[in-house]
């Protein structure tokens, strides 16, 4: 389902003539391959900073918006974590685009979080 949503995102971006980053190859992105090194890529996000088992701050820039995605965890076992999304609109098309995809944003994030949770339980 996640890939279908991402493809829908690409279609909306094309109609609005937005610069986009493409569809990430999620088969390559697994919890054990997530980078915490600033400047490296995780899917279409760039790592700003991170510390394994503590936090990960990712960023993406397009011509219509800048967005940051943060995952923050605690030291408790089982670990709990928070996910924060920040968006800065660079032009009106960015606001329109984000409001169109907003209803699906939580679905993508929930899938990412569940994948990480499943991996962590196996460790």
């Amino acid at each position: 389902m996640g890939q279908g949503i991402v493809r829908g995102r690409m279609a909306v971006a094309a109609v609005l003539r937005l610069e986009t980053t493409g569809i990430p190859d999620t088969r390559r992105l697994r919890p054990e391959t997530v980078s915490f090194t600033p400047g490296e890529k995780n899917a279409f996000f760039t790592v700003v900073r991170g510390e394994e088992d503590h936090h990960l701050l990712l960023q993406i820039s397009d011509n219509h918006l800048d967005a940051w995605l943060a995952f923050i965890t605690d030291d408790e076992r089982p670990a709990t974590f928070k996910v924060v999304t920040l968006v800065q609109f660079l032009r009106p098309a960015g606001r329109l685009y984000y409001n169109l995809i907003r209803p699906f944003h939580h679905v993508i994030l929930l899938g990412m979080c569940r994948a990480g949770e499943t991996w962590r339980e196996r460790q």
Side-chain angles (χ1 to χ4, degrees), residues 10-54:
M10 297 299 293
V12 168
V15 168
L16 294 175
R17 297 181 185 199
L18 303 176
E19 184 179 288
T20 60
T21 54
I23 298 174
D25 182 359
T26 55
R27 293 169 301 178
R28 293 184 323 173
L29 187 61
R30 296 286 177 246
E32 63 272 15
T33 64
V34 170
S35 176
F36 290 82
T37 304
E40 290 192 359
K41 294 282 191 181
N42 285 323
F44 48 74
F45 289 96
T46 301
V47 177
V48 176
R49 65 184 312 173
E51 183 179 341
E52 194 168 348
D53 292 326
H54 294 283

Side-chain angles (χ1 to χ4, degrees), residues 13-102:
V15 168
L16 294 175
R17 297 181 185 199
L18 303 176
E19 184 179 288
T20 60
T21 54
I23 298 174
D25 182 359
T26 55
R27 293 169 301 178
R28 293 184 323 173
L29 187 61
R30 296 286 177 246
E32 63 272 15
T33 64
V34 170
S35 176
F36 290 82
T37 304
E40 290 192 359
K41 294 282 191 181
N42 285 323
F44 48 74
F45 289 96
T46 301
V47 177
V48 176
R49 65 184 312 173
E51 183 179 341
E52 194 168 348
D53 292 326
H54 294 283
H55 65 275
L56 179 62
L57 177 60
L58 305 169
Q59 194 254 341
I60 186 168
S61 291
D62 284 328
N63 67 350
H64 56 292
L65 59 77
D66 286 332
W68 294 265
L69 181 60
F71 296 88
I72 305 158
T73 190
D74 56 30
D75 291 328
E76 302 297 316
R77 291 295 176 236
T80 60
F81 59 93
K82 294 178 177 44
V83 180
V84 179
T85 303
L86 298 171
V87 179
Q88 179 182 17
F89 303 113
L90 302 177
R91 57 191 182 104
R95 184 177 305 278
L96 175 61
Y97 164 77
Y98 190 73
N99 282 325
L100 288 172
I101 67 164
R102 185 187 307 236

